[in-house]
Amino acid sequence: MRGQPLLSPVIHREKMAAAPVMMPYFGQQISSKSDLVPDWTRQEVSTGTTIMAVEYDGGVVIGADSRTTTGAYIANRVTDKLTRIHDKIYCCRSGSAADTQAIAEVVAYQLGFHSIELDEPPLVETAANLFRASCYRYREELTAGILVAGWDKRKGGQVYSVPIGGMLVRQPVSVGGSGSTYIYGFMDANYKPGMNKEQCMEITAAALSLAMERDGSSGGVVRLASISEEGVERRVILGNQLPKFSTH
Amino acid sequence: CSCAVVNAVLEIEASKVGCSVPAARKTGTTICGVVFKDGVVLGADTRATEGMIVADKNCSKIHYISPNIYCCGAGTAADTEMTTQLISSNLELHSLSTGRLPRVATANRMLKQMLFRYQGYIGAALVLGGVDCNGPHLYSIYPHGSTDKLPYVTMGSGSLAAMAVFEDRYKPDMEEDAAKQLVRDAIAAGIFNDLGSGSNIDLCVITKNKVNYIRPHDEANKKGVRTGDYKYKQGTTGVLTKAVTPIDLELLEESVQTMDTS
């Protein structure tokens, strides 16, 4: 029997790590002693991930890799971690696959209901707060690191980060997941405010490629999406088409 | 760290009587599914294990959810059985309420929300497949409640062996016979390369108007025929002495109790 799919990073409950750390997740595991069942089947399913979101003038660009792991086995190599919450609001999921799917579905329901009540497209900040409400209230039970990004009429393109623990902060650029540790330097060096949509797409694809190359828990294809007043445009960059940095 | 889930009270009570708590029966399994041109093909082996012993040589791992949706189950046998039955029942009620044939996405939602609620304590890893008004669909569902929607999935201890076959030979929009052969080969890979899987191969082919539940599709492990016999003819062992002691039984009481069958 396989373990739970995880989107790492996972951090020890005792420490409050500022940045996500690559550590094995010691979730509740079902008793299976003697067994014909190999060890990796008892791991929780993780989207050991790299996710990213960038604001530009007029919208946002979001990106993610496509790998979901149970221990050392890749349960899904073409995962879509860019989850639609509303027409122009998406979230990038990292952490436990079960936890993030459940939270995203709950928030999508709540936001859909709220939007019908308002008779108006919902605000990105509202969606982010709904995520934060669930992630903070159940912080002891959940392992979920989420980036909420989208476009609304009031503030344009926005990126909100809801990391493990349930903090909420708006940032122009945010990276997350176990692979993000490898690209903080790249982002600090290469991100400049005032980039346009195509530049954001390029930097996101480049950053994700670099992270996927180095992080064992990230890989597969790069999924990109841009959200603006015009709508949502989705792209997939397959493995062989990724930007290459190594010459050896 | 693997925290064994243990019923401490049961263990104490059992040891008082001099017994040990029996191990839960697991389907150390190979199950898989594939989407083809006209529908989905689900496959499963038929071995159920209790530790290292085969508890059931021919158990049925493809469970009925609704006329157009079936679900293969790996993990704790009781959990997969009861979970699929519960969702099947609720889905039938839902179908009567909506007046429509149930959708695979609905079954998926119901299963994942229940498994998430139990935080992985229900050890059911499922492959859910069916055909509805939106076409053929295939989901894999994990015990903690995460799901993946894919064109081909494998689960269970033999899933790596089966996935190797799929990754080599899967093509989109296959014909029914090619899909059946592919699933058969994937389960066979699990049966012959994984100790937790064995016996026969069951298939379930679901298309828009028809379900073909083929049990067994392939008896990959037929019981052999004994070439010798350990029976000896009467008289092989010589009898030296014979003493017969009749036991006299005295009838003490006879009473008749009629059963009320009205």
Side-chain angles (χ1 to χ4, degrees), chain A residues 2 4-5 30 77 101 105, chain B residues 112 120 142 144 152 159 167:
Chain A
R2 206 171 300 151
Q4 183 193 153
I30 318 287
R77 58 180 171 86
Q101 282 182 15
E105 283 167 17
Chain B
K112 77 172 348 185
Y142 290 84
H144 284 261
Y152 54 95
S159 63
E167 287 286 29

Side-chain angles (χ1 to χ4, degrees), chain B residues 37-54:
Chain B
K37 198 168 80 174
D38 306 316
V40 303
V41 179
L42 302 176
D45 73 305
T46 62
R47 173 180 288 182
T49 51
E50 247 172 69
M52 292 299 275
I53 313 249
V54 176

Side-chain angles (χ1 to χ4, degrees), chain A residues 1 34-38 41, chain B residues 25-31 44-59 61 73-75 155-159 161 187-200 221:
Chain A
M1 193 195 75
S34 54
D35 257 345
L36 307 157
V37 174
T41 60
Chain B
R25 191 202 292 189
K26 317 192 85 223
T27 51
T29 288
T30 310
I31 52 173
D45 73 305
T46 62
R47 173 180 288 182
T49 51
E50 247 172 69
M52 292 299 275
I53 313 249
V54 176
D56 190 345
K57 289 183 276 188
N58 197 199
C59 78
K61 300 185 192 180
M155 292 284 246
S157 55
S159 63
I187 301 292
I191 286 173
F192 294 116
N193 298 105
D194 172 45
L195 296 179
S197 310
S199 298
N200 311 320
N221 291 285

Side-chain angles (χ1 to χ4, degrees), chain A residues 3-207:
Chain A
Q4 183 193 153
L6 264 178
L7 311 141
S8 70
V10 205
I11 51 173
H12 276 310
R13 294 259 153 83
E14 302 84 61
K15 289 188 250 169
M16 253 305 276
V21 181
M22 260 280 279
M23 277 197 242
Y25 181 64
F26 299 131
Q28 283 295 346
Q29 284 161 2
I30 318 287
S31 156
S32 39
K33 292 164 217 165
S34 54
D35 257 345
L36 307 157
V37 174
D39 193 55
W40 54 261
T41 60
R42 273 166 274 156
Q43 298 282 318
E44 225 197 283
V45 174
S46 148
T47 51
T49 290
T50 316
I51 51 175
M52 195 167 140
V54 190
E55 277 176 30
Y56 65 91
D57 183 22
V60 294
V61 167
I62 55 175
D65 75 304
S66 68
R67 181 170 289 185
T68 312
T69 51
T70 39
Y73 180 66
I74 299 171
N76 187 352
R77 58 180 171 86
V78 287
T79 325
D80 184 7
K81 303 179 191 178
L82 308 175
T83 304
R84 178 190 176 278
I85 304 297
H86 205 264
D87 291 347
K88 297 208 178 110
I89 305 175
Y90 275 65
C91 76
C92 309
R93 300 179 293 111
S94 73
S96 154
D99 291 352
T100 54
Q101 282 182 15
I103 297 168
E105 283 167 17
V106 159
V107 171
Y109 163 78
Q110 292 172 329
L111 200 66
F113 194 93
H114 168 73
S115 173
I116 289 172
E117 284 181 319
L118 247 54
D119 197 19
E120 232 181 65
L123 299 175
V124 187
E125 190 172 353
T126 312
N129 269 290
L130 287 170
F131 270 106
R132 193 255 314 129
S134 294
C135 292
Y136 183 71
R137 179 180 285 258
Y138 297 106
R139 57 183 297 168
E140 301 302 321
E141 286 83 29
L142 294 172
T143 309
I146 295 172
L147 297 177
V148 186
W151 182 94
D152 63 34
K153 212 171 59 172
R154 209 182 279 188
K155 294 186 188 167
Q158 298 146 74
V159 170
Y160 293 89
S161 187
V162 184
I164 293 174
M167 172 181 91
L168 171 62
V169 70
R170 182 182 173 187
Q171 295 174 300
V173 189
S174 197
V175 297
S178 60
S180 67
T181 53
Y182 302 102
I183 52 174
Y184 281 113
F186 175 81
M187 292 310 296
D188 289 339
N190 293 84
Y191 171 74
K192 283 151 187 51
M195 293 198 292
N196 66 22
K197 183 176 94 161
E198 274 313 311
Q199 290 169 320
C200 287
M201 287 277 203
E202 275 163 25
I203 195 177
T204 307

